[in-house]
Amino acid sequence: MLIVMKTDATESDIAEVERLITEMGFRPHTMPGASRTAIGITGNQGPVDVMPFESLPGVAEAIRVTKPYKLVSLDLRPEKTVVRVGDAEIGGDELAIIAGPCAVESREQLFEIAEAVRRSGARFFRGGAFKPRTSPYAFQGLGEEGLKLLAEVREAFNLKIVTEALDESGVDLVERYGDVIQIGARNMQNFSLLRRAGRSHLPVLLKRGLSAMLDEWLLAAEYVMAEGNYNVIMCERGVRTFAQHTRNTLDLAAIPAVRRISHLPVLVDPSHGTGKNYMVTPLARAGVAVGADGLIVEIHNHPERALSDGAQALTLEQYEQLVSEVRAIHDVIAPAPVS
Amino acid sequence: MLIVMKTDATESDIAEVERLITEMGFRPHTMPGASRTAIGITGNQGPVDVMPFESLPGVAEAIRVTKPYKLVSLDLRPEKTVVRVGDAEIGGDELAIIAGPCAVESREQLFEIAEAVRRSGARFFRGGAFKPRTSPYAFQGLGEEGLKLLAEVREAFNLKIVTEALDESGVDLVERYGDVIQIGARNMQNFSLLRRAGRSHLPVLLKRGLSAMLDEWLLAAEYVMAEGNYNVIMCERGVRTFAQHTRNTLDLAAIPAVRRISHLPVLVDPSHGTGKNYMVTPLARAGVAVGADGLIVEIHNHPERALSDGAQALTLEQYEQLVSEVRAIHDVIAPAPVS
Amino acid sequence: MLIVMKTDATESDIAEVERLITEMGFRPHTMPGASRTAIGITGNQGPVDVMPFESLPGVAEAIRVTKPYKLVSLDLRPEKTVVRVGDAEIGGDELAIIAGPCAVESREQLFEIAEAVRRSGARFFRGGAFKPRTSPYAFQGLGEEGLKLLAEVREAFNLKIVTEALDESGVDLVERYGDVIQIGARNMQNFSLLRRAGRSHLPVLLKRGLSAMLDEWLLAAEYVMAEGNYNVIMCERGVRTFAQHTRNTLDLAAIPAVRRISHLPVLVDPSHGTGKNYMVTPLARAGVAVGADGLIVEIHNHPERALSDGAQALTLEQYEQLVSEVRAIHDVIAPAPVS
Amino acid sequence: MLIVMKTDATESDIAEVERLITEMGFRPHTMPGASRTAIGITGNQGPVDVMPFESLPGVAEAIRVTKPYKLVSLDLRPEKTVVRVGDAEIGGDELAIIAGPCAVESREQLFEIAEAVRRSGARFFRGGAFKPRTSPYAFQGLGEEGLKLLAEVREAFNLKIVTEALDESGVDLVERYGDVIQIGARNMQNFSLLRRAGRSHLPVLLKRGLSAMLDEWLLAAEYVMAEGNYNVIMCERGVRTFAQHTRNTLDLAAIPAVRRISHLPVLVDPSHGTGKNYMVTPLARAGVAVGADGLIVEIHNHPERALSDGAQALTLEQYEQLVSEVRAIHDVIAPAPVS
């Protein structure tokens, strides 16, 4: 159920609708938009009676939602969500670029890379302090120490920190040191983690699972939003297929597919999406050309010495070239209708 | 690294090896076997010096492990692990059958189904109290109330309870009310959850992820074992492919594949593996014929009224027929070498 | 459109219906069954007028077919098709076993293997004279010379020859020397080849394509049948997925899935379906347990010297053991309803 | 084996090497390049003796080829192949655009669409006269009549005709009426057809199979080239995966992957690659951005009335917009190094 307010509805009209929803035992999700505000309802079992709403002042219409998702949908918010992170944003006019190493390894490493990221004009820095590794015996990240180093980068370079939380206590830590909570592909359907991220004040970058259907991915975002956190950023990072010339198969059609259904911004991760250094830049160009709101890219000052995923990390020079190429493409397609 | 003891090594020989490993700052994992005991070592970064071990009394040889997994491997334990759950077992001579509803719905439902399970001679009862649902708006299970009902079933029917934990606090609860902790397909690489289960005294039933490679699945088991819990049961439940005549594609070749590498028992889940009632029994037969140690099957007294997964649940009559068919096949293949 | 005749319809009633169909410019496909004859109609664009048929003597009813396939369907023939090949058959009570080498290499090789096949009680011999090889530089088979050797095997051992045709001229040759035309996975949608096979008097063994959906496979059989050749044998041989522990992922659920829709017999190929010697026998057991009508298995007197696919070929001893195991399972499940 | 000639090798030096290869019973494949000529050798079983070549005048070196492919490889021709089709080309500086309807339906349809194609500046017209249809009962194309209509388009608009051949006799017909032989995805491993196309004087557009590995696709091109036809154009058209938001999953990483190994030009087919009208233009942009040499796009004057694949056909207006967008991207990336 979705209550669409009239263009001229007042704050108190909206508050009244919210109050009624709460009284019914449900939860209101208010989404102000450019031309009108809509209010999603969750917590109901079965259909909600529309009658009481239709007579309230300021209500334009009450719409039954037949799709499995409610809050991620364009029905609720017809214009794209712009996620604000301090003075930076994702989903706006500017191409968002998140760059940094796979794993936090040392202050020296971080600062050298961060210098290149700042120089490129990107606003976001990535780096994992908790690494989800296939083997229990592989390097698992520096943990809280790594987060502290990321916080230093934030201070020193005014870059926003995007970093992964593997579990609920990890979210606590990211809230302390970071700016955007990354939920990794393997955790896309870790519903307890999604709910915890949904109760955070930080935006959530939600990677697509390795074999996630479109609906499953959108519903994972819905889990976060249903808890009240509406700042979700989708990220296509490749899916698992029979193909072996790449580590994953980057499914760029997912970008227009999400866009057709949802107001959430969508990024592309050409690093995990290919797993091969020489493919990252071409696929980054393709990601921007297809209409993504930005990129998340792994770079390293010494890829050959990286503690994880060195094969896909760009050198700082390659990264600089990538930024220049994708900006040129963004400039060309930005004025055009996005799809 | 793996220390193989001589056949006639004494308890104190073994203790001495364990002590040395601990002194080195590593962790010993002692696996007694039919003909010899082997001791796995974890916690090392890089190779361990073999010299000190080779001179200890009772040590037959020290073996370098070059595969990514150590504790799950036949190198460590050449004979199959038999997981004991009270007076029942999985991996022994008898075919293990776990049956019950997808979700715990009510005492009446559970007791009627449990009656049929006990009558069939199966020793394990399944039922979800915490359900991992794609949508936040779908029925999420009865929670702790559901677990209490399962504990009643245990008392009343002497059936061992197999039930899913979705997060670390869920493991606490399963430890209180259940007998085997199920880790679901979507959580196969939820490493925090795996580690928590690895610190439990209960056996762990580890479902294969929807797009898990063989090594990833074995390494998920390794996460559990590396924490000291050696009672892991693998469960093939179908993987995601292009095929649409089933909900998942049941990959029965995974059973001999696991067996060739690992000592852990392996089950087949023909219910999730097909998602269609009429396919469950044929695929259950196939699972037993391929050499699985048992089955986990969804059954319901009223499939058409099931709160989740009704389309794949067998009726109690169909279940009885299934048990009779798979036992007949097990009798035929059991004397033969399993592959 | 499908005309179902009454149980007591006479030959001349049937002939009258066929005449009317032909007069309309369409093609009748008459399928006699245990309890009644049905006549499929192909060649129509859009719906056929049922009126003229309903008034003919002996007609029970005229049924509109809404599925994409007509002739493969249980609607046309409710009981399973038994494909007769001389004095042998596929789809009847006995388990059909087709065994032989991947490729015909020499008379000595063929005769030594054929001796083992005959000894096992199998009635069919396989061997490729034209090999579809990924590389143009790999061994492509002995061609017509190979077919002549197969014809010698047929004479000497009274085994029916199953051999692949890669193109239309290949069908001409198989008609001269063989008994069953095999259409390989890569040619499952080679529609010109399917049509040519549909005009043959020999039965067609139709392997499932590497990424074929169920409907595509059934419609490939429909291509053959629409030309008038109703002796089609389906064969599941594994599909391509992300999994790498096998060469292909054997999709045994395809067997009950075909059976639910079609009257055509279905075989399982555990050799290509796994690509690994040690998995062939377990998966052969599973294939029989799931309800397949038979198996096609690659065997070799010297697998280590095989010119192609040696890694999956069974030795003659392993094959003997396989036959004994699958017969035991077939004996157990045959009396039971097949699914 | 590969003989690389010195930069200053003469025609007669080359002829001498070719003569020696032929004398040995093998086949020479001479590839002149910008800086040097190389000569591939096929037809050998096992290694070729390099000694006799090394002493010939003009020979720089003899290289053993260890990869499964020879002629498609950059080892043989380091610079990209430009396929010339009359006064048009694929693989050169200009973006190649092939546009037209899925199927030839009528002269009116073709001429209206061709008018739009010519107006857009594209040089190639596509249209199927023989359609590979999943069902034998679906529209199979106009056959030779369709080819005649395409030949009229060629005359009237000076557009090069790209059209599919389904079998060997189809190649004969395309040679009579068309300019480029298309081999469809389902026929990518129809080796008899590939060999026949390899003996044609027309270029071959080789679509990637629905589940083709990179090597399989390259080796299919090798089949064509081994027969002496070196004008092969690769075309990525999407592969089959679990994803259902598109008809196929367009694997754009295949473009840099092919480029890293082969000198052959590569196109992208965003129409079959997505199957959805609204995705075609975004993915066409992505295809150009990733570095493809061109596009093949389905367009229709009345998509809603198309006899096949209407859901993915662009209107003529959408097509015009697409061309303008992809040209803008091509202009931006062309000066940059391609990957």
Side-chain angles (χ1 to χ4, degrees):
Chain A
M1 171 69 77
L2 170 64
I3 310 296
V4 178
M5 305 303 292
K6 291 180 183 156
T7 315
D8 59 356
T10 65
E11 289 288 309
S12 82
D13 291 343
I14 292 170
E16 188 63 11
V17 171
E18 292 173 336
R19 199 187 51 73
L20 178 56
I21 292 168
T22 306
E23 262 181 30
M24 287 171 157
F26 308 143
R27 179 166 183 170
H29 298 269
T30 304
M31 302 269 168
S35 59
R36 48 87 157 165
T37 288
I39 304 166
I41 301 175
T42 63
N44 54 310
Q45 310 286 345
V48 176
D49 184 9
V50 304
M51 289 285 289
F53 294 101
E54 291 183 334
S55 56
L56 286 183
V59 169
E61 56 177 335
I63 299 174
R64 286 279 288 283
V65 178
T66 56
K67 292 164 203 149
Y69 26 75
K70 304 176 180 186
L71 306 178
V72 302
S73 164
L74 288 171
D75 295 338
L76 189 62
R77 189 205 287 270
E79 61 266 26
K80 192 157 59 172
T81 286
V82 178
V83 173
R84 296 207 161 70
V85 188
D87 58 349
E89 63 182 37
I90 295 175
D93 292 339
E94 206 184 332
L95 190 68
I97 297 179
I98 306 171
C102 177
V104 175
E105 297 170 9
S106 69
R107 180 181 288 105
E108 292 63 32
Q109 172 223 32
L110 286 197
F111 274 59
E112 191 173 336
I113 297 173
E115 176 61 39
V117 174
R118 190 177 58 177
R119 203 182 324 121
S120 76
R123 304 299 316 277
F124 299 88
F125 189 80
R126 63 150 291 153
F130 297 93
K131 301 301 305 172
R133 300 304 296 273
T134 300
S135 166
Y137 311 125
F139 173 61
Q140 308 271 322
L142 296 184
E144 189 166 358
E145 279 317 296
L147 290 175
K148 286 178 182 168
L149 293 174
L150 288 169
E152 289 188 41
V153 166
R154 175 163 57 171
E155 287 310 304
F157 297 92
N158 188 26
L159 291 168
K160 310 304 170 194
I161 301 301
V162 180
T163 193
E164 181 163 359
L166 292 181
D167 48 29
E168 300 175 50
S169 63
V171 175
D172 297 343
L173 289 168
V174 176
E175 285 176 338
R176 195 168 319 149
Y177 300 105
D179 299 293
V180 176
I181 303 161
Q182 180 177 319
I183 306 282
R186 283 164 189 75
N187 275 321
M188 192 201 82
Q189 291 193 313
N190 179 338
F191 301 117
S192 303
L193 180 59
L194 293 174
R195 282 208 197 84
R196 172 64 187 85
R199 292 188 300 270
S200 179
H201 64 282
L202 293 186
V204 174
L205 188 154
L206 179 64
K207 292 210 164 183
R208 181 178 177 192
L210 271 77
S211 57
M213 309 289 279
L214 188 66
D215 272 13
E216 293 172 337
W217 188 22
L218 290 167
L219 284 166
E222 189 87 17
Y223 262 95
V224 176
M225 296 183 75
E227 298 290 325
N229 186 348
Y230 309 135
N231 288 308
V232 180
I233 305 145
M234 310 294 276
C235 179
E236 162 65 30
R237 46 79 73 208
V239 291
R240 186 159 277 175
T241 72
F242 67 87
Q244 290 174 27
H245 55 275
T246 42
R247 186 168 158 191
N248 295 291
T249 298
L250 194 64
D251 177 15
L252 290 179
I255 284 78
V258 167
R259 188 129 306 162
R260 198 168 180 84
I261 294 171
S262 176
H263 53 84
L264 296 173
V266 195
L267 306 184
V268 166
D269 176 349
S271 304
H272 289 88
T274 64
K276 301 209 169 162
N277 177 292
Y278 80 92
M279 286 180 173
V280 173
T281 298
L283 271 299
R285 291 195 309 254
V288 172
V290 89
D293 295 293
L295 300 169
I296 177 164
V297 188
E298 286 190 6
I299 66 179
H300 202 283
N301 46 344
H302 299 293
E304 72 289 357
R305 285 189 244 149
L307 291 184
S308 59
D309 282 352
Q312 71 196 33
L314 295 188
T315 63
L316 304 185
E317 294 68 35
Q318 289 171 326
Y319 166 67
E320 193 183 336
Q321 174 70 17
L322 174 148
V323 171
S324 129
E325 294 187 22
V326 298
R327 287 240 170 86
I329 289 176
H330 189 252
D331 288 347
V332 166
I333 72 155
V338 173
S339 62
Chain B
M1 173 68 78
L2 170 64
I3 310 297
V4 179
M5 304 303 292
K6 292 180 182 156
T7 315
D8 59 356
T10 64
E11 289 289 307
S12 80
D13 291 345
I14 293 170
E16 188 64 10
V17 172
E18 291 173 338
R19 201 188 49 74
L20 177 56
I21 292 169
T22 307
E23 262 182 30
M24 286 171 157
F26 310 144
R27 178 166 183 171
H29 298 269
T30 304
M31 302 271 168
S35 59
R36 48 86 157 168
T37 287
I39 303 166
I41 301 174
T42 64
N44 54 309
Q45 310 286 346
V48 176
D49 184 8
V50 303
M51 289 285 288
F53 293 101
E54 291 182 334
S55 56
L56 286 183
V59 168
E61 56 177 335
I63 300 175
R64 285 281 289 283
V65 178
T66 55
K67 293 164 202 148
Y69 26 76
K70 304 177 181 185
L71 306 178
V72 302
S73 163
L74 288 170
D75 295 339
L76 189 61
R77 188 205 288 269
E79 61 266 26
K80 192 157 59 172
T81 286
V82 178
V83 173
R84 295 207 163 69
V85 189
D87 58 348
E89 62 183 37
I90 295 176
D93 292 339
E94 208 185 329
L95 190 68
I97 296 179
I98 306 171
C102 177
V104 176
E105 298 171 9
S106 69
R107 180 181 288 105
E108 291 64 32
Q109 174 223 28
L110 286 198
F111 274 58
E112 193 173 335
I113 297 173
E115 176 61 38
V117 174
R118 189 177 58 175
R119 203 181 326 122
S120 76
R123 304 300 315 278
F124 299 88
F125 189 80
R126 60 151 292 151
F130 298 94
K131 301 301 306 171
R133 300 303 297 272
T134 301
S135 166
Y137 310 127
F139 173 61
Q140 309 270 323
L142 296 184
E144 189 166 358
E145 279 316 296
L147 289 175
K148 287 178 182 170
L149 294 174
L150 288 169
E152 288 189 41
V153 166
R154 174 163 58 170
E155 288 310 305
F157 297 93
N158 187 28
L159 292 167
K160 311 304 171 194
I161 301 301
V162 179
T163 192
E164 181 162 0
L166 292 182
D167 48 28
E168 300 176 50
S169 64
V171 175
D172 297 342
L173 289 167
V174 176
E175 286 176 336
R176 195 169 318 149
Y177 300 105
D179 299 293
V180 176
I181 303 161
Q182 180 177 317
I183 306 283
R186 284 163 188 75
N187 275 322
M188 192 202 82
Q189 290 192 314
N190 180 340
F191 301 116
S192 304
L193 180 59
L194 294 174
R195 282 206 198 86
R196 172 63 187 84
R199 293 188 301 270
S200 179
H201 64 284
L202 293 186
V204 174
L205 188 154
L206 179 64
K207 293 210 162 183
R208 181 178 176 191
L210 272 78
S211 57
M213 309 290 278
L214 187 66
D215 271 12
E216 293 172 336
W217 188 22
L218 289 168
L219 284 166
E222 189 87 16
Y223 262 96
V224 176
M225 294 183 76
E227 299 291 326
N229 185 348
Y230 309 136
N231 288 308
V232 180
I233 305 145
M234 309 295 276
C235 180
E236 162 66 31
R237 47 78 73 208
V239 291
R240 187 159 276 176
T241 73
F242 66 86
Q244 291 173 27
H245 56 275
T246 42
R247 186 167 158 192
N248 294 291
T249 298
L250 194 64
D251 176 15
L252 290 180
I255 284 78
V258 167
R259 187 131 305 161
R260 199 171 180 81
I261 294 171
S262 176
H263 53 84
L264 296 172
V266 196
L267 306 185
V268 166
D269 176 349
S271 303
H272 290 88
T274 63
K276 301 209 170 161
N277 177 292
Y278 80 92
M279 287 180 172
V280 172
T281 298
L283 271 299
R285 290 195 309 253
V288 172
V290 89
D293 296 293
L295 301 169
I296 177 165
V297 188
E298 286 190 5
I299 66 178
H300 202 284
N301 47 343
H302 299 294
E304 71 289 357
R305 286 188 242 148
L307 292 183
S308 60
D309 282 352
Q312 71 196 33
L314 296 188
T315 64
L316 305 186
E317 292 68 34
Q318 290 171 326
Y319 166 67
E320 194 183 335
Q321 174 69 18
L322 174 148
V323 171
S324 129
E325 295 187 19
V326 298
R327 287 239 172 87
I329 289 176
H330 189 252
D331 288 347
V332 165
I333 71 153
V338 173
S339 62
Chain C
M1 172 69 77
L2 170 63
I3 311 297
V4 179
M5 305 302 291
K6 292 180 183 156
T7 315
D8 59 356
T10 64
E11 289 287 308
S12 81
D13 291 343
I14 292 170
E16 187 65 10
V17 172
E18 292 174 337
R19 200 188 50 73
L20 177 56
I21 293 170
T22 306
E23 262 182 30
M24 287 171 156
F26 309 143
R27 178 167 183 171
H29 298 269
T30 303
M31 301 270 168
S35 60
R36 48 86 157 166
T37 288
I39 305 167
I41 301 175
T42 63
N44 53 310
Q45 310 286 347
V48 176
D49 184 8
V50 302
M51 288 285 288
F53 294 100
E54 290 182 335
S55 56
L56 286 183
V59 168
E61 56 177 335
I63 299 174
R64 287 280 288 283
V65 178
T66 56
K67 293 165 202 147
Y69 26 76
K70 304 177 181 186
L71 307 178
V72 302
S73 164
L74 288 171
D75 295 339
L76 190 61
R77 189 205 288 269
E79 61 266 26
K80 192 157 61 172
T81 287
V82 177
V83 173
R84 296 205 163 71
V85 189
D87 58 348
E89 63 182 37
I90 295 176
D93 292 338
E94 207 185 331
L95 190 69
I97 296 180
I98 305 171
C102 177
V104 175
E105 298 171 9
S106 69
R107 180 182 287 107
E108 290 63 31
Q109 172 222 31
L110 286 198
F111 274 59
E112 192 174 336
I113 296 173
E115 176 61 40
V117 173
R118 189 177 59 175
R119 204 182 324 121
S120 77
R123 304 299 316 278
F124 299 88
F125 189 80
R126 62 150 292 152
F130 297 93
K131 300 301 305 171
R133 300 303 297 273
T134 300
S135 165
Y137 310 126
F139 172 60
Q140 308 271 322
L142 296 184
E144 189 166 358
E145 279 316 296
L147 290 174
K148 286 178 182 169
L149 293 174
L150 288 169
E152 289 188 41
V153 166
R154 173 163 59 170
E155 288 309 305
F157 296 92
N158 187 28
L159 291 168
K160 310 304 169 193
I161 301 301
V162 180
T163 193
E164 181 162 0
L166 292 181
D167 47 29
E168 300 176 50
S169 64
V171 174
D172 297 343
L173 289 167
V174 176
E175 285 175 337
R176 196 170 316 151
Y177 300 104
D179 299 293
V180 176
I181 304 161
Q182 180 176 317
I183 306 282
R186 285 164 187 74
N187 275 322
M188 193 202 82
Q189 291 193 313
N190 179 340
F191 301 117
S192 304
L193 180 58
L194 293 174
R195 282 207 196 86
R196 172 64 186 83
R199 292 189 300 270
S200 179
H201 65 283
L202 293 186
V204 174
L205 188 155
L206 179 64
K207 293 210 162 184
R208 182 177 177 192
L210 271 77
S211 58
M213 310 288 278
L214 187 66
D215 272 12
E216 293 172 336
W217 188 22
L218 290 167
L219 284 166
E222 189 86 18
Y223 262 95
V224 176
M225 295 183 76
E227 299 290 326
N229 186 349
Y230 309 135
N231 288 308
V232 180
I233 304 145
M234 310 294 277
C235 180
E236 162 66 30
R237 46 79 71 208
V239 292
R240 187 159 277 176
T241 72
F242 66 87
Q244 291 174 27
H245 55 276
T246 42
R247 185 167 159 193
N248 294 291
T249 298
L250 193 64
D251 177 15
L252 290 180
I255 284 79
V258 167
R259 187 129 306 162
R260 200 171 179 81
I261 294 172
S262 176
H263 53 84
L264 296 172
V266 195
L267 306 184
V268 166
D269 177 348
S271 304
H272 290 87
T274 64
K276 300 209 170 161
N277 177 291
Y278 80 93
M279 287 181 173
V280 173
T281 298
L283 272 299
R285 290 195 309 254
V288 172
V290 89
D293 295 293
L295 301 170
I296 177 165
V297 188
E298 287 190 4
I299 67 179
H300 202 282
N301 46 343
H302 300 293
E304 72 289 357
R305 286 189 243 148
L307 292 184
S308 60
D309 282 352
Q312 71 197 32
L314 295 188
T315 63
L316 304 186
E317 294 67 35
Q318 290 171 326
Y319 166 67
E320 194 184 335
Q321 174 69 17
L322 173 147
V323 171
S324 130
E325 294 187 21
V326 298
R327 287 240 171 87
I329 289 176
H330 189 253
D331 287 348
V332 165
I333 71 153
V338 172
S339 60
Chain D
M1 172 69 79
L2 170 64
I3 311 296
V4 179
M5 304 303 292
K6 292 180 183 155
T7 315
D8 59 355
T10 64
E11 288 289 308
S12 81
D13 290 343
I14 291 169
E16 187 64 11
V17 171
E18 292 174 336
R19 199 187 50 73
L20 177 57
I21 293 170
T22 306
E23 261 181 31
M24 287 171 157
F26 310 143
R27 179 166 182 171
H29 298 269
T30 303
M31 302 269 167
S35 60
R36 47 88 157 165
T37 288
I39 304 167
I41 301 174
T42 63
N44 54 311
Q45 310 286 343
V48 175
D49 183 9
V50 302
M51 289 285 288
F53 293 101
E54 290 182 336
S55 56
L56 285 183
V59 169
E61 57 177 333
I63 300 174
R64 285 281 288 283
V65 178
T66 56
K67 293 165 202 147
Y69 26 76
K70 304 177 180 186
L71 306 179
V72 302
S73 163
L74 289 170
D75 295 338
L76 189 61
R77 188 204 288 269
E79 62 267 26
K80 192 157 61 173
T81 286
V82 178
V83 173
R84 295 206 163 71
V85 189
D87 58 349
E89 62 182 37
I90 296 176
D93 293 338
E94 206 184 331
L95 190 69
I97 296 179
I98 305 171
C102 177
V104 175
E105 297 170 8
S106 69
R107 179 180 288 105
E108 292 64 32
Q109 173 223 29
L110 285 197
F111 274 59
E112 192 173 336
I113 297 172
E115 176 60 40
V117 173
R118 189 176 60 176
R119 205 182 323 122
S120 76
R123 303 301 314 278
F124 299 88
F125 189 80
R126 61 150 292 151
F130 297 93
K131 301 300 306 171
R133 301 303 297 272
T134 300
S135 167
Y137 311 125
F139 173 62
Q140 308 272 323
L142 295 184
E144 188 165 358
E145 278 317 296
L147 289 175
K148 287 178 182 168
L149 293 174
L150 288 169
E152 289 189 41
V153 166
R154 174 163 59 170
E155 288 310 304
F157 296 92
N158 188 28
L159 291 168
K160 310 305 171 194
I161 301 301
V162 180
T163 194
E164 181 163 1
L166 292 182
D167 47 28
E168 300 177 51
S169 63
V171 175
D172 297 342
L173 289 168
V174 176
E175 286 176 335
R176 195 169 320 148
Y177 299 105
D179 300 292
V180 176
I181 303 161
Q182 180 178 317
I183 306 282
R186 284 163 188 76
N187 275 321
M188 192 201 82
Q189 291 192 313
N190 179 340
F191 301 117
S192 303
L193 181 59
L194 294 174
R195 282 208 197 85
R196 172 64 187 83
R199 293 188 300 269
S200 179
H201 64 283
L202 293 186
V204 174
L205 188 154
L206 179 64
K207 293 209 162 184
R208 182 179 177 192
L210 271 78
S211 57
M213 309 289 278
L214 187 66
D215 271 12
E216 293 171 337
W217 188 22
L218 290 167
L219 284 166
E222 189 87 17
Y223 262 96
V224 176
M225 295 183 75
E227 299 291 326
N229 185 348
Y230 308 136
N231 288 309
V232 180
I233 305 144
M234 310 294 276
C235 180
E236 162 65 31
R237 47 78 73 206
V239 291
R240 187 159 276 175
T241 72
F242 67 86
Q244 290 173 27
H245 55 275
T246 41
R247 185 168 159 191
N248 295 291
T249 298
L250 194 64
D251 176 15
L252 289 179
I255 285 77
V258 167
R259 187 132 304 163
R260 197 168 181 84
I261 295 172
S262 177
H263 53 83
L264 296 173
V266 196
L267 305 185
V268 166
D269 176 348
S271 304
H272 289 87
T274 63
K276 300 209 170 162
N277 178 291
Y278 80 91
M279 287 180 172
V280 172
T281 298
L283 272 297
R285 291 195 309 255
V288 172
V290 89
D293 295 292
L295 301 169
I296 176 165
V297 188
E298 286 189 6
I299 66 179
H300 202 283
N301 46 344
H302 299 293
E304 72 289 357
R305 285 189 243 149
L307 292 184
S308 60
D309 281 352
Q312 72 196 33
L314 295 188
T315 64
L316 305 185
E317 293 68 33
Q318 290 171 327
Y319 166 67
E320 194 183 335
Q321 174 69 18
L322 174 148
V323 171
S324 128
E325 295 187 22
V326 298
R327 287 240 171 85
I329 289 176
H330 189 252
D331 288 347
V332 165
I333 71 154
V338 172
S339 62

